[in-house]
Amino acid sequence: MKILITGGAGFIGSNFVHYINENYDYEIVVLDKLTYAGNKDNLKEIIDNIQFIKGDIGNENDVSNAMKDCDLVVNFAAETHVDRSIEDPSIFVKTDVIGTYNLLEHARKYDVEKYLQISTDEVYGSIENGSFSEKSNIDPSSPYSASKAGGDVLVSAYHKTYGLPILITRSSNNFGPYQYPEKIIPLFILKAMKNEQLPVYGDGQNIRDWIYVMDNCKGIDTVLNKGKLGEFYNVGGGNEKTNLEITHMILDILGKSEDLITFVEDRLGHDRRYSLDSSKTKKLGWEPEWSFEDALRETIGWYKKNKNFF
Ligand code: NAD
C-alpha cells in the first residue's frame, strides 16, 4: 500500500506521518511546499523511511509526481492561520480551494482507492449552545474557514458527480508537538518560558474544543479504515475551554506569574464558541484517549526540550 500525505511537514501532518510509519508497513510519500509552517525537521527521525517531495498541491507536475501509484491520499496541506487569512485571503483560496481541486483531479486520473480531506470545525461557525453534528449547516466566519469550507464542498461534489471515493474529517483545535508557535498553545508556552507577555484576545472567554494531536491521528486513521465513502466525520476532543482557562493552565504548569497576561483587542469576526458532536466517529470505534491536562503537560514537556526547534 502506498500513501500520499500532503502537508506532511506541518503540525498535524507530521504527527500523522510518524503515526503511519509506526503503525503500518506502507510506502509513504510526503508532498509539502515547506511554507513558514512546514519544517522538514519534523520528520528528521524517519526521513530515510519516506519519500519527501518539496512541492505545491496547486502545481500539476508536483501533484502528478507525488500521486502516481498511490493507493491512499490524505490531504493536510493548507494555509491554516485565521489572523493571516484576515490580512491576506488570496493564498488561502489558492491553496485550500484551488490546491484541493488540483488534488481531486489527480485522484480521479490515478483512480486512487481513497482520498481523505482534512477539514476543521471552523467551517460550522460559532454555536452558543449544543454541538455541531455532520448534518449542521456550514457557516464560516473567516477567510480561512470559508476557504476550508470551499475545499470540503468540492471534495463532496467529486463524490456525488464522479463517484470519487472520498472521506472528510473535521476536527476541533489540535495541540501537541511540532506545532509552529503562532497559535495560542505553543505561542503562549514559548512566551511564558521567556517571561514575555501573553496577548489574550478580547475578554478571553472564547471557547474552543481541544484535542491532543495523537487522538486526532487515531481518529483520522479510524475514518480512513472504517468510514463510509462520501461521508463527513467530526473528530472532537470533548475538552471545551476558554482561552483564559488555557492561559492560566499553561502559566500554572510552568510555575509562571499571572502578571504575564495582557488583554488585547479582539480578532475581527472572532467566533465565540466551537463545539463538536463526534458520536458518528465514535460509532466507528474511536474514542479520544488523552485527558486535556496530561496532554497539555506532555506538550509543554516537548516545547521545553525543543525550545530552539523553531
Ligand atoms: P500547518 O499550518 O501546521 O501545516 C500545513 C502544512 O501544509 C505545512 O507543512 C505547509 O508547508 C504545507 N502547505 C501549505 N501550503 C501548501 C501547498 N500549497 N502545497 C503543499 N503543502 C503546503 O497546519 P496544521 O495545523 O497541521 O493543519 C493541517 C490541516 O488540519 C489543515 O487542513 C487544517 O485546516 C486542519 N485543521 C487544523 C487544526 C489545528 O488545530 N491545527 C484543527 C482542525 C483542522
Side-chain angles (χ1 to χ4, degrees):
M1 203 60 126
K2 191 168 174 181
I3 184 168
L4 169 62
I5 303 176
T6 58
F11 163 45
I12 310 175
S14 63
N15 278 286
F16 189 71
V17 174
H18 282 280
Y19 174 88
I20 291 291
N21 184 60
E22 269 161 40
N23 291 286
Y24 292 91
D25 195 17
Y26 289 173
E27 270 182 75
I28 302 174
V29 183
V30 170
L31 173 67
D32 197 295
K33 190 176 164 187
L34 295 179
T35 66
Y36 75 94
N39 185 349
K40 213 172 155 183
D41 279 350
N42 290 357
L43 302 169
K44 196 166 55 193
E45 300 89 349
I46 56 168
I47 200 74
D48 294 336
N49 290 359
I50 65 175
Q51 185 190 352
F52 184 87
I53 301 172
K54 181 172 187 285
D56 190 332
I57 59 164
N59 179 289
E60 288 193 19
N61 287 336
D62 292 347
V63 171
S64 189
N65 269 342
M67 204 187 288
K68 67 173 178 300
D69 306 328
C70 286
D71 306 290
L72 306 172
V73 178
V74 183
N75 177 31
F76 292 89
E79 289 292 335
T80 61
H81 192 43
V82 175
D83 291 346
R84 287 176 189 260
S85 81
I86 294 168
E87 289 292 311
D88 178 11
S90 66
I91 187 69
F92 285 76
V93 176
K94 273 187 201 130
T95 293
D96 302 3
V97 183
I98 300 171
T100 298
Y101 154 76
N102 194 35
L103 289 172
L104 291 168
E105 277 298 306
H106 284 84
R108 277 180 71 201
K109 178 172 154 196
Y110 290 123
D111 204 12
V112 300
E113 207 171 288
K114 281 181 195 173
Y115 173 100
L116 193 156
Q117 175 80 353
I118 304 296
S119 186
T120 167
D121 60 356
E122 300 202 23
V123 298
Y124 295 119
S126 197
I127 189 166
E128 231 168 84
N129 300 302
S131 301
F132 289 118
S133 82
E134 293 80 355
K135 290 200 177 110
S136 303
N137 289 335
I138 50 173
D139 185 18
S141 304
S142 71
Y144 161 63
S145 48
S147 61
K148 289 297 294 181
D152 286 11
V153 290
L154 257 185
V155 173
S156 177
Y158 268 61
H159 176 73
K160 291 177 192 147
T161 307
Y162 305 113
L164 195 73
I166 66 96
L167 295 149
I168 301 175
T169 62
R170 290 177 170 155
S171 83
S172 56
N173 275 41
N174 284 233
F175 65 105
Y178 302 114
Q179 186 170 26
Y180 182 79
E182 65 180 351
K183 298 191 182 142
I184 183 169
I185 291 185
L187 180 72
F188 281 14
I189 294 171
L190 290 180
K191 278 189 178 291
M193 285 192 318
K194 291 188 261 177
N195 294 312
E196 290 174 9
Q197 293 292 304
L198 313 186
V200 175
Y201 280 130
D203 59 4
Q205 295 306 312
N206 299 67
I207 295 173
R208 299 291 178 264
D209 171 4
W210 291 93
I211 183 166
Y212 188 51
V213 65
M214 266 307 140
D215 279 333
N216 187 22
C217 289
K218 287 184 184 153
I220 294 165
D221 181 25
T222 305
V223 171
L224 189 59
N225 280 299
K226 300 189 187 153
K228 186 167 170 232
L229 295 177
E231 304 250 327
F232 291 77
Y233 290 89
N234 288 343
V235 184
N239 298 296
E240 290 188 31
K241 306 261 179 255
T242 66
N243 287 344
L244 200 55
E245 280 175 289
I246 301 273
T247 310
H248 282 295
M249 286 179 85
I250 291 172
L251 290 172
D252 189 45
I253 293 171
L254 286 168
K256 299 285 182 174
S257 161
E258 293 184 0
D259 296 345
L260 292 181
I261 298 175
T262 317
F263 291 95
V264 298
E265 196 184 327
D266 209 353
R267 166 192 276 169
L268 296 171
H270 203 176
D271 286 329
R272 198 65 178 166
R273 174 172 174 259
Y274 295 145
S275 179
L276 281 182
D277 172 352
S278 304
S279 48
K280 183 175 171 186
T281 310
K282 288 182 180 166
K283 282 194 193 123
L284 300 178
W286 169 83
E287 195 70 54
E289 289 165 18
W290 283 78
S291 78
F292 180 79
E293 180 152 0
D294 287 351
L296 186 61
R297 284 183 189 281
E298 184 83 6
T299 304
I300 290 176
W302 188 87
Y303 280 91
K304 272 180 160 172
K305 258 195 253 144
N306 294 280
K307 291 196 219 15
N308 303 320
F309 196 81
F310 298 96

